[in-house]
Amino acid sequence: MKDSAEMSITEARMSQSSLPRVRNRKRLLLLTLYLLLVPSFGMLGVFGYYPAFSALLHAFYDWHPGFRSTFVGLANFEQAIHDPIFIRSFWHVFLMVLVGITVGLAVPFVVAELLVAVRNPRVQSVLKVALIVPMALPGIVTILLWGAMLEPTQGVVDQFLKTLGLPHSFNWFGSPHLALISIMLIGFPWVAGLPFLLYLAALQAIPSEIREAAIIDGASVVHRLTRIDIPLVMPQTRLLVVLSIIGQMQNLIPMLLLTQGGPDFATMVPAGWAMDEAFTDGNWGYASALSVILFIVMLVVSVISWILTSNRAKAYM
Amino acid sequence: MRPRRIRQSILITVLSLIALVGIAPYLFMLLTSFKNNAEYYKSYFAIPKPFHWENYLLAWRQISDYFLNSLIVAVASIIGVLVLGAISSFVMARYEFPAKRFLYWMIIALMSVPGITTLIPLFILIKNMGLIDHRLSLILPYIATGQIMSIFLMRTFFENLPEEVFEAATIDGANGFRLFWNLAIPLSKPIISTIAMISFLGVWNDYVWPSVVIASNQLRTITIGLAFFQGEFLTEWGQLFAGYVIASIPLLIVFAFGMRYFVSGLTGGVVK
């Protein structure tokens, strides 16, 4: 700002003639700036910091909102580690995260690889739109739709399998063995989404000369993938792994809509169990403790995966 | 030349098939939305003989309130997110003042707190405020959490605006408000579109929070309405699916017009 000569001259004049006035104006400016931030921080304070703090605090209480709550120390946390359903729900979410960061990233990567290999640019962009269209539909519609398509025995998926002569007549969401798999099946073939968009953008950014040089040098596809493409998308993969962990651990809507965590808790996830404890059983303190545990686990897992992938990324460089 | 052409054809076929599998459920939804139950049970894939357009009329009658509720909540939230986000971002991007960095990181730190952790205390808070079963119970928390992403994106955008433009305007005697309103805001239309889109998506798709704070039928949002609609009219598949199609239209429109903003907003700057 001060490299403009005019500015510094006027500033110098002002400071010579009326130092106290300048100081007052500066103070006024500062006050205005802080006042302008008040609406944002007011909202964050009431609806962001306060609930977060309240969850942390009441995790140590037998919380009866509106009534006397008693401090119980670590009792809620002790109850949690002995709660078989809560432990089981973590196993379910672990499986969902595992599938999310393997299949959920590998499939979009492979499809993005296939798409960049298409030579005709117009065909390529048409295919791209066709592949990401499902993103433009409300998630709840997709979930309810899959719920209807996976109706036991007479649903459209079952009928389709029957027509193809494949095993059919599954009790998708009704069977404890199949319910979690059925939940993961929603959105098949899992291409439309952020991973695909990020991978595609990264692969499209590779200059075609590099690709062609590799082909001329006789590099095999596997070699090209492991030496050029996969190292290149490591930054995206790092981010996507963390986002996927956070997303899967909060993925609750399919269970709320289709299974209510059942049958026999086969699709219960920690977030759902915390909600059940709070809104169904009124165990507000215990539910707070569960959600705090969930937060800590998410944070720890995210940080660990971030560190692990960073070492991998460096090894590739 | 020839083997390459064959390879390209195979590639395009495979990709088309993958795309088709992804789109098929929605085509099935569209097809079914024009059928009555008899036709639906006779064959899932047959084209309905007369198209039952009345399904849409009946579905609209059932969900129009929910649809409008979501629209009201979305518009109010977007305005709030943009106004608060723009003011705070401008202050943090263009001025120096004590504790600026600290305040910025205080906002960003909230990004790491998952919604599920604050859900229960937030519910108690809303209940104590007497806002249960009121639109504000949706709008206020949406604004509060939505502005975080808004500040995150807009602050960077404002910081990267060319310095010379602001200097020139300052010399011409423009005050801070003029710099904000006549300069920064018109220049940031792309980022405003991105934020508006992401906010709209968030509100239109949210299910968990409204299912907790909204009790009365006339205030239900579209997601709650659809889930409820499914329970009520399970027997009429055509109407049900017509309702799903109607509920999808706003997002489809937003994506059709703003896909570029959306993709650039999500991908740009995130990984560089």
Side-chain angles (χ1 to χ4, degrees):
Chain A
M1 271 189 276
K2 275 178 188 162
D3 43 20
S4 134
E6 273 169 89
M7 282 284 282
S8 51
I9 290 167
T10 46
E11 240 168 58
R13 260 188 216 146
M14 278 168 79
S15 59
Q16 269 175 358
S17 60
S18 51
L19 243 166
R21 248 175 76 192
V22 171
R23 203 174 287 160
N24 272 343
R25 279 183 77 180
K26 256 195 173 158
R27 229 174 251 167
L28 191 68
L29 176 69
L30 268 186
L31 187 68
T32 317
L33 293 178
Y34 286 123
L35 280 178
L36 285 172
L37 291 176
V38 165
S40 271
F41 277 93
M43 290 291 275
L44 286 179
V46 176
F47 299 106
Y49 298 121
Y50 171 73
F53 175 74
S54 172
L56 193 61
L57 180 75
H58 288 108
F60 300 96
Y61 277 82
D62 183 13
W63 190 14
H64 296 283
F67 300 95
R68 253 187 89 88
S69 305
T70 39
F71 181 78
V72 293
L74 291 170
N76 288 329
F77 292 93
E78 215 179 304
Q79 192 186 339
I81 52 172
H82 294 118
D83 181 342
I85 296 167
F86 189 58
I87 304 293
R88 226 181 120 191
S89 71
F90 260 103
W91 170 243
H92 297 150
V93 102
F94 170 75
L95 288 177
M96 285 164 62
V97 167
L98 202 65
V99 172
I101 63 177
T102 52
V103 180
L105 296 187
V107 170
F109 176 75
V110 170
V111 176
E113 277 283 351
L114 292 177
L115 189 59
V116 290
V118 172
R119 293 193 153 252
N120 183 331
R122 199 179 290 167
V123 174
Q124 196 187 52
S125 70
V126 169
L127 282 171
K128 178 189 168 185
V129 172
L131 285 163
I132 60 178
V133 157
M135 276 185 89
L137 283 117
I140 190 156
V141 166
T142 301
I143 294 166
L144 290 173
L145 191 57
W146 276 86
M149 294 197 312
L150 292 174
E151 282 275 296
T153 56
Q154 51 153 340
V156 61
V157 173
D158 247 310
Q159 292 300 311
F160 190 67
L161 293 173
K162 196 175 173 184
T163 321
L164 292 179
L166 292 167
H168 56 92
S169 300
F170 294 113
N171 187 6
W172 299 98
F173 293 108
S175 141
H177 306 288
L178 268 182
L180 195 64
I181 296 171
S182 305
I183 295 266
M184 294 190 214
L185 214 57
I186 293 171
F188 180 85
W190 317 294
V191 175
L194 187 63
F196 178 70
L197 290 175
L198 287 183
Y199 282 142
L200 187 65
L203 293 176
Q204 278 176 333
I206 304 179
S208 51
E209 297 90 65
I210 293 184
R211 202 173 279 277
E212 267 148 31
I215 293 168
I216 290 164
D217 287 351
S220 68
V221 174
V222 176
H223 205 76
R224 204 192 75 217
L225 282 179
T226 53
R227 284 298 147 115
I228 302 175
D229 292 3
I230 292 177
L232 193 107
V233 298
M234 267 321 274
Q236 281 79 359
T237 307
R238 275 182 90 187
L239 178 77
L240 289 168
V241 165
V242 174
L243 288 182
S244 167
I245 291 169
I246 294 169
Q248 290 294 345
M249 292 194 84
Q250 295 200 79
N251 185 6
L252 186 60
I253 303 178
M255 294 78 172
L256 287 179
L257 283 171
L258 300 176
T259 63
Q260 288 81 45
D264 192 25
F265 301 108
T267 57
M268 185 55 81
V269 288
W273 190 233
M275 276 185 77
D276 270 11
E277 284 291 331
F279 296 104
T280 312
D281 300 335
N283 296 326
W284 300 97
Y286 184 50
S288 297
L290 296 186
S291 60
V292 168
I293 294 173
L294 189 59
F295 170 46
I296 294 167
V297 171
M298 266 168 79
L299 205 64
V300 169
V301 175
S302 303
V303 169
I304 289 175
S305 71
W306 188 254
I307 292 168
L308 282 180
T309 49
S310 100
N311 288 338
R312 287 295 291 285
K314 268 181 213 144
Y316 269 118
M317 293 298 169
Chain B
M1 221 49 199
R2 186 149 284 178
R4 177 185 271 180
R5 196 171 287 173
I6 293 171
R7 236 186 298 154
Q8 282 289 308
S9 321
I10 294 172
L11 196 61
I12 291 168
T13 314
V14 168
L15 285 168
S16 308
L17 276 177
I18 296 171
L20 185 68
V21 173
I23 298 173
Y26 307 103
L27 293 178
F28 169 70
M29 165 176 86
L30 197 64
L31 192 66
T32 306
S33 71
F34 292 107
K35 290 179 179 176
N36 62 25
N37 264 3
E39 288 165 317
Y40 176 72
Y41 284 119
K42 208 166 143 203
S43 162
Y44 288 127
F45 310 108
I47 309 282
K49 239 331 169 12
F51 271 47
H52 291 276
W53 291 97
E54 71 273 12
N55 283 347
Y56 279 83
L57 199 71
L58 293 166
W60 174 248
R61 250 183 235 153
Q62 297 290 342
I63 65 166
S64 58
D65 282 354
Y66 312 142
F67 192 95
L68 294 175
N69 284 335
S70 271
L71 223 49
I72 293 168
V73 171
V75 169
S77 306
I78 290 171
I79 293 172
V81 163
L82 285 175
V83 170
L84 290 190
I87 294 173
S88 300
S89 312
F90 188 77
V91 168
M92 293 207 205
R94 311 287 329 170
Y95 294 92
E96 283 302 328
F97 51 89
K100 184 171 106 159
R101 270 178 170 271
F102 171 74
L103 289 175
Y104 178 67
W105 285 108
M106 284 285 282
I107 297 175
I108 298 305
L110 270 180
M111 271 185 169
S112 69
V113 181
I116 189 67
T117 300
T118 50
L119 181 89
I120 290 157
L122 193 58
F123 171 78
I124 300 294
L125 176 73
I126 292 286
K127 202 175 162 190
N128 291 340
M129 290 169 104
L131 287 177
I132 290 290
D133 214 16
H134 191 291
R135 282 202 186 97
L136 283 177
S137 70
L138 299 171
I139 295 168
L140 292 177
Y142 285 159
I143 293 176
T145 46
Q147 65 167 342
I148 300 176
M149 172 268 306
S150 170
I151 290 170
F152 179 67
L153 291 175
M154 255 199 261
R155 193 195 75 132
T156 322
F157 192 89
F158 286 153
E159 271 181 349
N160 292 334
L161 287 176
E163 194 71 43
E164 302 83 51
V165 187
F166 285 94
E167 271 170 26
T170 315
I171 290 162
D172 288 347
N175 58 17
F177 176 75
R178 290 270 309 276
L179 293 181
F180 172 70
W181 189 249
N182 293 345
L183 209 59
I185 292 297
L187 284 173
S188 46
K189 271 185 193 142
I191 198 76
I192 288 175
S193 313
T194 305
I195 294 165
M197 239 188 111
I198 296 176
S199 309
F200 186 80
L201 243 73
V203 175
W204 201 264
N205 276 325
D206 194 20
Y207 176 79
V208 178
W209 181 242
S211 79
V212 166
V213 289
I214 297 296
S216 60
N217 186 36
Q218 68 268 23
L219 285 178
R220 284 192 173 117
T221 58
I222 189 73
T223 47
I224 308 299
L226 285 184
F228 171 76
F229 186 52
Q230 183 208 25
E232 285 284 279
F233 306 94
L234 195 66
T235 38
E236 274 303 327
W237 290 100
Q239 276 183 50
L240 188 66
F241 282 27
Y244 294 173
V245 174
I246 295 171
S248 307
I249 289 170
L251 279 201
L252 285 167
I253 292 174
V254 167
F255 263 93
F257 286 103
M259 189 66 204
R260 192 161 307 170
Y261 291 131
F262 182 67
V263 174
S264 69
L266 282 183
T267 57
V270 179
V271 183
K272 269 270 159 81

